[in-house]
Amino acid sequence: MDRRSLIAGAAILGAVPLVRARAQAANTIKIGVLNDQSGTYRDISGPNAVACARQAVADFGPRGFNVEILVADHQNRPDVGANIARQWIDRDGVDMLLDVTTSSVALAVNDICREKNKVHINSTAATSDLTGARCAPTTVHWTYDTYMLAKSTGGAMVRAGGDSWFFITADYAFGHALERDTGNFVREAGGRVLNAVRTPFPGTTDFSAFLVQAQASRCKVIGLANAGSDTTNCIKQAAEFGITRRGVKLAALLMLIPDVHALGLATAQGLVCSETFYWDLNDRTRAFTARVAPQLGGAKPASTQAGCYAGVLHYLKAVQDMGVAQAKASGVEAVNRMKAMPTEDDCFGAGSIRADGRKIHPAHLFEVKTPAESRAPWDYYKLLQTTPAEEAFRPLAAGGCPLIRA
């Protein structure tokens, strides 16, 4: 064999791994979990959201294609989140972005995914603008939103006599949307919004001055338009000041089970909150929790983390139904396929995805148990009422989503 033949043979052999790598990449769906891994929202999102996404991949089972999960911390900063999203899509070939905690980051990533034609399944950001004026054909908003929270928790507080409100609001898109939507429900029910203060986000840990200002307004309800450690810090400091002992009610408009755990039942007892998933709600939620629990470090999954599980599971069903090549080529087509297929999972049961990208399922109003009522660790909620799926979220025509034709 001459030298030319040897070189040609070596070139062919060298090309084989490259061909295999390209074939593997073409048959691999890449999911990027972009959330808060270290800050205010770590406990309601963070590593346990990643664990739930991985559990969805495991539960989906044999599929004929590969799934790779990437993870990044956006630090609750829109610029950081946007840069990661662009790099993932342009350099790493990510097909779907998941979770995207923090509404300001979510809205930035929402625009990038629309521009790049990639799927965005949002679980933890709450702004209802994701299915309203800022809706995108590539976005599905899964777990909750500010409209649902305002209607369920806010509406319940007004019906119980809380007709004058003062808001302590996280000063970014989520807090503004939650204050807006709750305020609308309060006024529609004949109540009044006396005032509001905006607290810097992130970075506020001392809420004492804001609580004193709220108490001075003589409101009946202090609406906490915040989340995560901001909410727990507000509740703890309100207890220290004895605010609730003076007859003022706290409305934790977004409080999840990790927040209750952080507060402890002695402090959190009696608080009312709205959730779309609770680990001990029924046999299916308990079965899911049993499967994922070994990866959660002793915690129970929050609704936001369950939303990551359910969103990934439904997305993979759509990919299998339409084919990997088509799913990778067009996020719009992948989301359209998701909308066309009924949803079904152990966390939320049967449901659907509307034309505006809103995932529809029931909303549950819970009251936090007293220490005496709790039978075991993480046994924190008693169910007060359930709002049916078709009533829980904003009416389709009322959100101003440009995807909806009049």
Side-chain angles (χ1 to χ4, degrees), residues 86-224:
R86 288 191 182 278
Q87 289 177 12
W88 269 355
I89 294 170
D90 293 342
R91 182 190 65 193
D92 301 319
V94 167
D95 303 295
M96 186 265 273
L97 275 77
L98 177 70
D99 197 9
V100 198
T101 324
T102 313
S103 292
S104 53
V105 182
L107 290 169
V109 170
N110 187 63
D111 292 341
I112 292 169
C113 287
R114 179 192 353 235
E115 172 195 338
K116 302 288 187 179
N117 197 14
K118 296 298 179 183
V119 177
H120 170 207
I121 300 180
N122 195 289
S123 181
T124 306
T127 177
S128 59
D129 292 344
L130 282 170
T131 54
R134 299 284 293 275
C135 73
T138 47
T139 293
V140 175
H141 199 185
W142 199 276
T143 306
Y144 54 27
D145 62 28
T146 52
Y147 182 97
M148 182 278 288
L149 296 166
K151 181 177 181 179
S152 182
T153 306
M157 297 294 286
V158 175
R159 288 192 297 273
D163 57 5
S164 59
W165 286 61
F166 187 106
F167 286 98
I168 296 178
T169 302
D171 193 11
Y172 75 105
F174 154 68
H176 300 170
L178 189 51
E179 178 191 321
R180 175 197 67 203
D181 290 345
T182 307
N184 287 340
F185 278 108
V186 170
R187 285 184 282 266
E188 287 172 9
R192 295 177 298 149
V193 176
L194 303 180
N195 208 338
V197 290
R198 303 286 173 84
T199 64
F201 177 86
T204 303
T205 56
D206 184 358
F207 292 87
S208 56
F210 307 117
L211 288 164
V212 169
Q213 189 175 344
Q215 186 178 15
S217 74
R218 300 187 181 278
C219 64
K220 293 181 180 178
V221 179
I222 299 175
L224 304 180

Side-chain angles (χ1 to χ4, degrees), residues 19 21 37 60-61 64 68 131 138 155 166 171 196 225 243 263 276 301 303 308 314 337 349-350 363 370 401:
V19 170
Q37 290 280 313
F60 189 65
E68 181 181 341
T131 54
T138 47
F166 187 106
D171 193 11
I243 288 176
L263 286 167
T276 53
S303 59
C308 290
H314 191 62
R337 189 64 58 98
T370 66
C401 171

